[in-house]
Every structure is written in C-alpha cells, then in structure tokens.
C-alpha cells in the first residue's frame, strides 16, 4: 500500500511540475495581446516581457543547483512552489510594466528550480524499471500545460483584463504540487547509504536484484566540488560532455523555432485563414502529447539511446524535407512588430508569400488595401492588410498579419484580395497543394520525433548520469546551457533567415540532426533498467 502511495504521489509531483512549466511558457502568447493595449507596450517592452521568464530561468539554473544539493530536492520543490505563488500573485495584481517584468522573472526562476528538482527527486524515489516512465511524465505535463494555456488564452481573449485570470490560474496546480510533496518522504539520497534505505523501506519499490547488487558492492555517497565536473575524477568530464551535448543538440536541431513559428510556417505554405493556421498549431500540440505518452511507455522497454537516435533521424529527415518544399514554393519572412499605441496595433511576424510577377496584375498600393474584418474581442489586433509593390524585385507582395483572425476565409473563397486585387488561383500555394501536405506531415513527424526522443529523454538521462553528491549542480549547469541555447536560437532565427534564407536555415537544422545521431551513438550510454548507483559505478570504471 505504501509503495503504491509513493508511486502515485511521485507521478503527481512529476506531472504537476511539468504542467506548471508548460503553462507559464505558453500563457504569455495570449496575455500579450491584451497587455500591449492595456499598458501601451512598445516592441522592445513586449520582447522584454517575453524574455523575462527566460532570464529568471537562467538565473535559477545558475543558483538553483546549490539549493538542490545543499538543502535536498524535496525542500527545493517546496521553496520553488512558494516563490511561484508569490510570482503569480505579483502578476495577477500588477499595475505597471515594471511589476509585470518582476513577476515574470520570479515565475521563471521558480519554474526552473522546480523543473530540475522534480526530475532529480522522482528519479531517486522510484525503482530502476519505473524511472523512465515517471521522469517522462514530467514532459507529458509540459505538453499538457502548453495545450491548457492555449485553451485558456482562447477563453479569456474577450474578457476585460483577462490576462489577470490567465496568470492567476497558475496558483491552482502550484498548491496541488505543494500538498502532494508534503506526503512524500525526505529525499532518500540524503539519508546514510542507499542500501540501508532499502532496508528501512523508504524505497520499497526497488526490486531484489538491485538490493543484491548494492550489498555486493556497497555504495558510498561521495562529495564533489563544482570544478570536479571538468576533471577526470570518476570520469566526470565525460558525463559533463554527455549532458552538455544533449541539451545543446536539443536546441540546435531547431525545435524552439519549428514549434514557436508553427502557425506562421503553416500560414506561409498556404493555410491562408488565420484560424486554420492556429488550429494547425493546436493540432501539433495534441500530437506532441500523444508522442510523449508513447515515449513514456517505451522509455523503460526500448531504452534511452534507441529513442534518442530514432528521434534524431526522423527530425533530420523532417526538417530537410521542409527545407526542400520551401525551395519549390518560396516564402519570405519579415518583421512586423508595431507598438501598441492605438486600436490598429498588432504584434506578429508577418509572412509574405511571394507572387511571381506573371501571375499578378499591377495594382497601386492604395487601391489594393483591404480592411481587416476581425471578429469581436480582437480589437487589439485589428490592422490593415496592405498590398504593396516591391520596387526591387518587381513583385506584388500581399502581407498577411498573423494576429488578424478569421478574416481571410471569405476572401480566399472568392479568389480575390479585393475588388481590384490579383487572383489567388495563380498563387504558389494554390499550385502546390501536394507540397503543403508534405510540409504539414513533415512538421507532424518532427514534433512527434522530438517528443519521443530529445523532449523527455534528455532530462531522463541528465537525472541519471551524475553521482548523487553533485547531481543538482550538474543538472543546473547543463540546464543553464539549455536556456542560453534556447534564447540564442529564438533570437537569431529571423536574422539568419535574412542572411541565408528559410530553406538553408532548415537544411542547417537537418545537418545538426545528423551530427546529433553520431554524438549519441559515440558518447551516450544505455541506462535503462539500472539503478542510479549501478550507472554511477559503470561511468566511474569506464574510461
């Protein structure tokens, strides 16, 4: 009975930790639409507000490791829950831009500490043959949290000051996680040696083989300094290489951009109504949840290495396919961020599908301008869709703003962009229906592959390969590179597209995927079915 209780509570802590994390990452996209009008935010202020969470998370990954190692995993999660409650209250009651930024940084700090502590705590609480399943639950929580945030963005879009509710609702799962962990025992690693914990029944889930192995080769917890991560002692340098390689390849295979710009990429390849592009993104979110559940089921059967390598291969093929399809139906991306000073404000990245000159009748810019018919509740995102003449390329480029909702459906049916606009029938995406579907399927394959491989497995391997005495600091060190990589990839996306073009950008991601496969094959060991102590001893012996 007690074993089952520990198992259920560990699972609850893992899922809720992920849920809060995913929710906080996703909720800002909907809240920003209201915040930019309520607080008259400039483009720069919008960027600061979005990246405040990343800055908080980066700070936490630098300082959080010490908290986790010194004061234990359980206490770190409890403290992060309290900090998160404070951050959510600050955001809910915010009256100025500065307070919003402080609130978002606080939330980023708390979720980052919680994410690291949850993975480590759960990996130490359960048996070797259930560890993959329970740590992967964290990733399931993240995907569900992101989907939940999208749903609440939609529900509160028309509510006056709806962003307060969006931020405030994070309090509910935080309180639930806090209560769940109160009933779990203090971290077993912090008590004497591992084998005696088994005898005390604190880890009743460990099977007899693990216990016999522990008795045969008694496990002593060692003490490490942070600099040991870069030394040859117990082969720590190789472990650090494995950890850093996984988190950096996780980012450099393009995942933040493929997901972050999903609706925009859909838009550009021909899913012309905004609602269909947004629906496609939600569909991707649902696929992500299903794929993560598959990874959770396979983690302890197929093994970490197999899932990581299979995921990387599929990701490389998918982004290469997207690269090739975008070469055949060219698309250009342009920045389109306007400061929210009036009702015409919008915050978006505009995708401008390029019409060949032959397909278009030359239209003066003014006569082709069409007013947006955005639905109620999108007052903040109404704008003019302009048809402007590009003098250099001699092409007429209609610019579709992504913030506008539901306004292109009717016009695409009529086949015109206005009374004097060019016929849409001759547009590249109208000719390339097959390419649209290939891109859609490639995107689905990419998301599924990431959610089966890099998504859950990176954090699972990180929570396993380090000795208990330095696990918190090592995890935090790798996590800081993860956040820095995410920030770098997200911020450089548009600049790189300007420099080398969309298709070359995605081809580069494909190349990174191939390099990741080679890296995993050469350096990442298989850890399924082994106790944390056996993994540690295997690393220490193996040069």
């Amino acid at each position: 009975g007690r074993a089952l209780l520990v198992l259920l509570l560990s699972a609850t802590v893992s899922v809720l930790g992920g849920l809060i994390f995913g929710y906080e990452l996703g909720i800002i996209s909907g809240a920003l639409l209201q915040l930019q009008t309520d607080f008259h935010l400039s483009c720069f202020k919008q960027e600061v507000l979005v990246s405040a969470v990343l800055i908080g998370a980066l700070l936490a990954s630098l300082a959080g490791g010490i908290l986790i190692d010194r004061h234990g995993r359980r206490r770190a999660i409890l403290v992060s829950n309290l900090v998160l409650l404070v951050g959510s209250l600050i955001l809910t009651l915010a009256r100025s831009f500065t307070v919003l930024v402080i609130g978002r940084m606080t939330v980023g700090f708390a979720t980052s500490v919680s994410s690291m502590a949850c993975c480590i705590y759960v990996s130490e609480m359960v048996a070797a043959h259930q560890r993959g399943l329970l740590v992967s639950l964290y990733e399931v929580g993240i995907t569900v949290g992101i989907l939940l945030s999208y749903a609440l963005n939609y529900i509160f879009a028309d509510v006056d000051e709806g962003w307060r509710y969006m931020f405030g609702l994070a309090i509910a799962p935080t309180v639930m996680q806090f209560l769940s962990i109160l009933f779990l025992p203090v971290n077993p690693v912090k008590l004497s040696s591992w084998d005696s914990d088994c005898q005390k029944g604190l880890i009743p889930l460990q099977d007899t083989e693990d216990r016999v192995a522990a008795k045969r080769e008694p496990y002593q917890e060692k003490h490490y300094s942070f600099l040991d991560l870069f030394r040859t002692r117990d082969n720590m340098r190789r472990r650090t290489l494995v950890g850093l390689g996984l988190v950096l390849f996780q980012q450099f295979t393009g995942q933040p951009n493929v997901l972050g710009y999903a609706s925009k990429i859909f838009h550009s390849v021909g899913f012309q109504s905004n609602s269909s592009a947004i629906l496609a993104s939600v569909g991707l979110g649902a696929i992500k949840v299903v794929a993560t559940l598959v990874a959770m089921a396979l983690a302890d059967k197929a093994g970490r290495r197999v899932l990581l390598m299979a995921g990387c291969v599929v990701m490389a093929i998918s982004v290469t396919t997207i690269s090739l399809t975008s070469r055949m139906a060219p698309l250009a991306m342009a920045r389109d961020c306007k400061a929210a000073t009036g009702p015409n404000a919008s915050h978006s990245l505009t995708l401008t599908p390029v019409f060949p000159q032959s397909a278009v009748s030359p239209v003066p810019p003014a006569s082709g301008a069409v007013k947006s018919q955005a639905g109620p509740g999108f007052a903040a995102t109404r704008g003019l869709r302009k048809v402007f003449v590009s003098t250099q390329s001699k092409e007429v480029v209609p610019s579709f703003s992504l913030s506008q909702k539901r306004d292109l459906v009717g016009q695409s049916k009529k086949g015109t962009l206005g009374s004097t606009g060019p016929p849409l029938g001759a547009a590249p995406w109208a000719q390339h229906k097959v390419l649209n579907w290939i891109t859609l399927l490639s995107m689905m394959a990419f998301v599924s592959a990431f959610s089966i491989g890099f998504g859950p497995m990176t954090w699972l391997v990180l929570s396993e390969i380090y000795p208990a005495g330095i696990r918190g600091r090592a995890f935090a060190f790798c996590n800081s590179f993860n956040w820095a990589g995410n920030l770098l990839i997200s911020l450089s996306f548009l600049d790189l597209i300007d420099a080398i073009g969309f298709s070359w950008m995605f081809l580069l991601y494909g190349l990174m995927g191939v390099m990741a496969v080679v890296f995993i094959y050469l350096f990442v060991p298989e850890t399924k079915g082994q106790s944390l102590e056996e993994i540690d001893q295997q690393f220490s012996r193996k040069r």
Side-chain angles (χ1 to χ4, degrees):
R2 174 159 184 178
L4 187 65
L5 181 69
V6 170
L7 193 65
L8 286 173
L9 285 172
S10 297
T12 308
V13 166
S14 192
V15 169
L16 287 172
L19 184 88
I20 297 161
F21 192 81
Y23 182 83
E24 292 292 1
L25 281 181
I27 202 69
I28 191 68
S29 60
L32 202 64
L33 292 174
Q34 296 184 351
L35 288 168
Q36 64 184 14
T37 44
D38 287 4
F39 290 90
H40 306 294
L41 301 181
S42 64
C43 288
F44 175 69
K45 283 185 173 179
Q46 289 173 39
E47 283 165 3
V48 167
L49 195 57
V50 171
S51 53
V53 166
L54 296 182
I55 294 162
L58 196 56
L59 289 173
S61 58
L62 297 173
I66 300 164
L67 171 70
I68 294 167
D69 278 342
R70 293 260 169 87
H71 303 287
R73 289 70 159 128
R74 182 173 176 268
R75 196 173 291 169
I77 299 173
L78 290 170
V79 169
S80 73
N81 285 157
L82 293 173
V83 175
L84 190 61
L85 285 173
V86 172
S88 298
L89 284 171
I90 290 172
L91 285 169
T92 311
L93 305 171
R95 292 264 170 238
S96 72
F97 171 71
T98 315
V99 175
L100 280 172
V101 172
I102 292 167
R104 287 298 281 170
M105 279 181 73
T106 308
V107 160
F109 187 90
T111 48
S112 182
V113 171
S114 172
S115 72
M116 296 184 291
C118 274
C119 290
I120 295 172
Y121 184 75
V122 172
S123 76
E124 291 171 349
M125 282 306 299
V126 297
H129 64 277
Q130 291 162 326
R131 197 169 55 239
L133 176 83
L134 283 158
V135 178
S136 302
L137 263 176
Y138 183 82
E139 187 72 18
V140 175
I142 292 180
T143 53
V144 172
I146 291 171
L147 266 185
L148 180 67
S149 70
Y150 287 164
L152 290 171
N153 281 344
Y154 186 77
I155 291 166
F156 290 114
D158 301 346
V159 179
D160 190 35
E161 292 201 333
W163 55 270
R164 294 192 190 276
Y165 300 103
M166 294 179 195
F167 290 140
L169 281 168
I171 291 171
T174 308
V175 170
M176 284 165 69
Q177 191 188 29
F178 186 88
L179 294 174
S180 301
I181 205 159
L182 286 178
F183 294 101
L184 276 168
V186 175
N187 197 326
V189 170
K190 286 288 158 200
L191 305 168
S192 61
S193 85
W194 178 78
D195 189 41
S196 61
D197 287 340
C198 282
Q199 288 160 354
K200 285 177 194 164
L202 274 176
I203 321 181
L205 309 168
Q206 300 287 359
D207 56 22
T208 47
E209 287 171 34
D210 286 347
R211 219 168 288 175
V212 171
K215 278 176 185 154
R216 202 169 48 242
E217 194 174 346
Y219 179 75
Q220 293 300 314
E221 188 183 324
K222 298 171 188 168
H223 295 282
Y224 296 89
S225 73
F226 178 72
L227 290 174
D228 283 332
L229 283 175
F230 312 101
R231 293 183 180 137
T232 51
R233 178 191 172 189
D234 290 340
N235 223 0
M236 290 298 289
R237 196 182 290 164
R238 178 168 174 248
R239 304 184 206 216
T240 306
L241 174 74
V242 170
L244 286 182
L246 285 175
V247 294
L248 290 174
F249 275 121
Q250 185 190 36
Q251 298 301 329
F252 292 155
T253 43
Q255 181 264 343
N257 293 336
V258 175
L259 286 183
Y261 295 101
S263 63
K264 298 169 178 116
I265 291 168
F266 278 124
H267 210 277
S268 67
V269 293
F271 293 86
Q272 276 314 292
S273 78
N274 282 300
S275 51
S276 72
I278 288 154
L279 198 64
S281 293
V282 173
L284 278 186
I287 290 165
K288 201 167 156 54
V289 174
V290 173
T292 311
L293 289 169
V294 171
M296 194 177 86
L298 294 177
D300 291 314
K301 294 185 177 73
R304 288 66 155 146
R305 251 171 79 90
V306 174
L307 291 178
L308 277 166
M309 284 166 70
C312 282
V313 169
V314 176
M315 281 164 73
I317 294 168
S318 306
V319 286
T320 308
T321 309
I322 293 173
S323 164
L324 296 173
T325 54
S326 70
R327 282 188 83 78
M328 293 177 209
L331 37 123
M333 290 197 180
R335 289 171 182 73
D336 177 36
C337 171
K338 302 183 191 74
T341 47
N344 294 344
S346 76
H347 170 70
S348 64
L349 173 115
T350 301
L351 291 171
T352 50
V354 180
F355 285 116
Q357 175 60 31
S358 59
V360 195
S361 53
V363 188
S367 67
V370 188
K371 274 191 180 172
S372 158
Q373 305 294 316
F378 291 102
T381 61
R382 286 194 200 113
L384 288 177
R385 190 172 65 255
K386 303 180 186 75
V387 179
F388 59 90
V389 181
S390 167
T391 49
Q392 289 172 319
S393 60
K394 296 275 189 275
E395 289 166 343
V396 177
V397 187
S399 163
F400 303 102
S401 171
L402 271 168
S403 303
Q404 298 154 261
K405 314 265 189 215
R406 313 188 189 100
D407 61 326
L408 286 171
V409 192
Q411 285 158 354
S412 61
K413 280 179 189 162
K414 289 176 199 164
T416 60
L417 262 176
S419 53
T420 54
L424 269 179
W429 57 77
Q431 300 164 359
H432 297 301
K433 268 203 170 148
V434 178
L435 290 182
N436 294 345
W437 283 104
I438 291 172
T439 305
L440 175 64
L441 292 171
S442 300
M443 194 102 87
M444 287 177 172
F446 181 90
V447 167
S448 305
F450 181 85
S451 301
I452 285 173
F454 268 137
M457 294 306 133
T458 301
W459 308 115
L460 177 55
V461 172
L462 277 183
S463 66
E464 294 174 328
I465 60 174
Y466 295 104
I470 196 172
R471 199 169 285 144
R473 282 164 292 168
F475 199 105
F477 175 70
C478 293
N479 201 19
S480 64
F481 276 84
N482 176 57
W483 285 111
N486 192 321
L487 211 53
L488 181 70
I489 289 287
S490 303
L491 293 175
S492 63
F493 186 58
L494 289 177
D495 292 315
L496 276 169
I497 281 179
D498 289 346
I500 63 173
F502 186 86
S503 58
W504 285 109
M505 182 79 227
F506 272 60
L507 205 59
L508 195 63
Y509 290 152
L511 186 65
M512 281 290 178
V514 174
M515 287 166 67
V517 175
V518 175
F519 173 81
I520 292 159
Y521 181 77
L522 293 177
F523 295 109
V524 181
E526 183 52 76
T527 55
K528 71 166 180 178
Q530 298 175 323
S531 72
L532 296 176
E533 289 63 42
E534 286 169 328
I535 295 166
D536 185 26
Q537 285 158 7
Q538 178 190 324
F539 258 108
S540 300
R541 284 192 298 265
K542 207 172 181 179
R543 291 268 162 223

